[in-house]
Amino acid sequence: MSGLYQIPGLFITALCHVIVICYLSEHKYSKKKYTLYSCIYIAGFVGIGGYGYVTWGATLLFAYIVIVVCTFLFSCIVSQSCFAKKCFLFITYFCLFSAMDNVLKIVIKLLFPKVSAPVGFYVAVILRSMSLLAVLALYKKFAETILRSLADKKDRRWWNLALVALLFYLLQASMSVLNVKDVMSDVQLMSVLSIINVIMYAVYWLVFSNISYMKKDAEAALVRQNVEYLSARLVAQQKAGEEHRRLRHDIRYYLETIAEYAKSGDTPAVLAYVREYSDQVSETAARQYSVNKTIDSILSVYAGKAKESGIAFLIKCNVKAELAVRDIDLIALLGNLLENALHGCQESAKEKLYIEIYIQMQNRRLTIVCDNICSDDLTLSGSLPEGKSIGISSILAVCQKYDGNLEYKVEHGICSACAVLNL
């Protein structure tokens, strides 16, 4: 009977893990596929945990280790984040899980010493699950935007944060073992746990302060990128202005030439000369692609880059001058989409290259579709390119920030990215 009454509790715990990981991670698969993997994970969790409770002793400790490893693998499989970030988020979650588990079990034993084992077990399971879901709600409201905006910024700081989380998790796991083995009295164990938890929460306060600085660094990089776009746009407009001034200065000579053709009655020559002059004026004019200044600057820059690379650049843009999207988010989204499309064309080594960008605002929904020629070996993992770059992670972070979605398709050597923002 020892291992049977815990099975429903194991199911509740596994379900709690699935819910938290679902909202903690950046989704890699569709809901159906995630549900399938979740069912397999829950079945394995309950089976391994139940076996550990039945056999007890060293087997229970081994079962706990296996469960932790399986939960980590499950979170890695279903998440799109870079490995360092996955490690930090998972270890932080399990550290909090262990801290709550330890405290609740000791508090129940201290306050209700005569309560039966099954009742104490389920009170701890239910309170722990409710507390973790409450923390998840706080994370969704206050911390998710910061973490998602950093996307997969692969640098040493993520590993440093993961190492800090691991040290505290090992301390919490040690307290769990001491609690099971009854090496210390409940009062002593509670005192040690209180000290560890106070230190842990203080350090995590510093950790999230560090993360906020990382976010500010990322935003500063986007601001610099915006300055580059605007500077490039200004240079293009200055060149166009100088060329127009030259054409206006030379118009007297053009008119004299046209007059000579007209005197001689050479109408075809007049028409051809006028057409040539008109084409020259059109080519030197600074084009406006959108009434939204940020979008227009980005499109202008990449139109120039595409032209330099011999890539056809087709634009269909229908948006208002003002959008409920921050400029730095537009830069992260549209700039990275076009940068990836440009690289995709250049790396494809194909003759006919093109990029087509479609931007439309309809019913408070901003839709951006970018099609480009790509290499034949480009493959997808779920709805995103396999081994996604930092750029794609930034695009995904913006889409999730505005409750939207990002989906890639690859067909017949054409990569199509569709980003949707709900404004």
Side-chain angles (χ1 to χ4, degrees), residues 96-156:
L96 184 62
F97 173 87
S98 299
M100 289 183 176
D101 186 60
N102 289 330
V103 170
L104 285 170
K105 286 179 178 178
I106 296 173
V107 168
I108 290 171
K109 283 200 293 184
L110 287 173
L111 298 181
F112 308 101
K114 295 183 180 180
V115 73
S116 64
V119 172
F121 174 79
Y122 277 100
V123 169
V125 167
I126 293 170
L127 289 177
R128 183 184 63 212
S129 300
M130 291 174 62
S131 300
L132 288 170
L133 293 177
V135 172
L136 177 63
L138 292 174
Y139 163 79
K140 293 285 291 180
K141 185 173 182 179
F142 297 108
E144 182 185 37
T145 302
I146 296 176
L147 287 174
R148 291 283 173 89
S149 65
L150 295 175
D152 284 357
K153 189 176 177 62
K154 296 182 181 179
D155 85 32
R156 192 173 58 186

Side-chain angles (χ1 to χ4, degrees), residues 19-28 34 78-82 85 88-89 136 139-153 158 208 211-212 214-215 218-219 222 326 329 332 388 390-405:
I19 294 172
V20 171
I21 290 172
C22 175
Y23 289 100
L24 196 63
S25 61
E26 298 171 15
H27 297 171
K28 185 176 182 179
Y34 183 83
V78 299
S79 174
Q80 280 282 5
S81 304
C82 70
K85 190 176 177 183
F88 169 70
L89 290 174
L136 177 63
Y139 163 79
K140 293 285 291 180
K141 185 173 182 179
F142 297 108
E144 182 185 37
T145 302
I146 296 176
L147 287 174
R148 291 283 173 89
S149 65
L150 295 175
D152 284 357
K153 189 176 177 62
W158 279 119
F208 278 94
I211 289 174
S212 67
M214 291 167 67
K215 179 178 182 289
E219 289 190 346
L222 290 174
R326 295 197 308 167
D329 292 331
K388 66 188 177 83
I390 295 176
I392 294 176
S393 298
S394 298
I395 298 167
L396 182 62
V398 174
C399 291
Q400 292 173 337
K401 178 179 178 180
Y402 291 90
D403 297 322
N405 61 281

Side-chain angles (χ1 to χ4, degrees), residues 42 81 137 162 177-178 218 241-242 278 288 302 315 323 351 367 380 404:
I42 291 173
S81 304
V177 173
L178 293 176
E242 291 173 1
S278 177
Q288 183 181 33
Y302 280 97
I315 299 171
L323 294 173
E351 292 184 7
T367 302
L380 301 181

Side-chain angles (χ1 to χ4, degrees), residues 17 20-21 24 68 72 75 84-100 132 135 139 143 147 157-170 172 197 200-201 203-205 207-208 211:
H17 289 335
V20 171
I21 290 172
L24 196 63
V68 171
F72 174 67
S75 68
K85 190 176 177 183
K86 288 178 185 178
C87 290
F88 169 70
L89 290 174
F90 173 80
I91 298 171
T92 296
Y93 165 61
F94 243 68
C95 185
L96 184 62
F97 173 87
S98 299
M100 289 183 176
L132 288 170
V135 172
Y139 163 79
L147 287 174
R157 286 176 290 186
W158 279 119
W159 286 113
N160 292 340
L161 296 177
L163 179 60
V164 171
L166 179 61
L167 291 175
F168 280 110
Y169 171 69
L170 292 176
Q172 294 292 346
N197 287 338
M200 182 180 75
Y201 296 138
V203 170
Y204 265 99
W205 177 267
V207 164
F208 278 94
I211 289 174

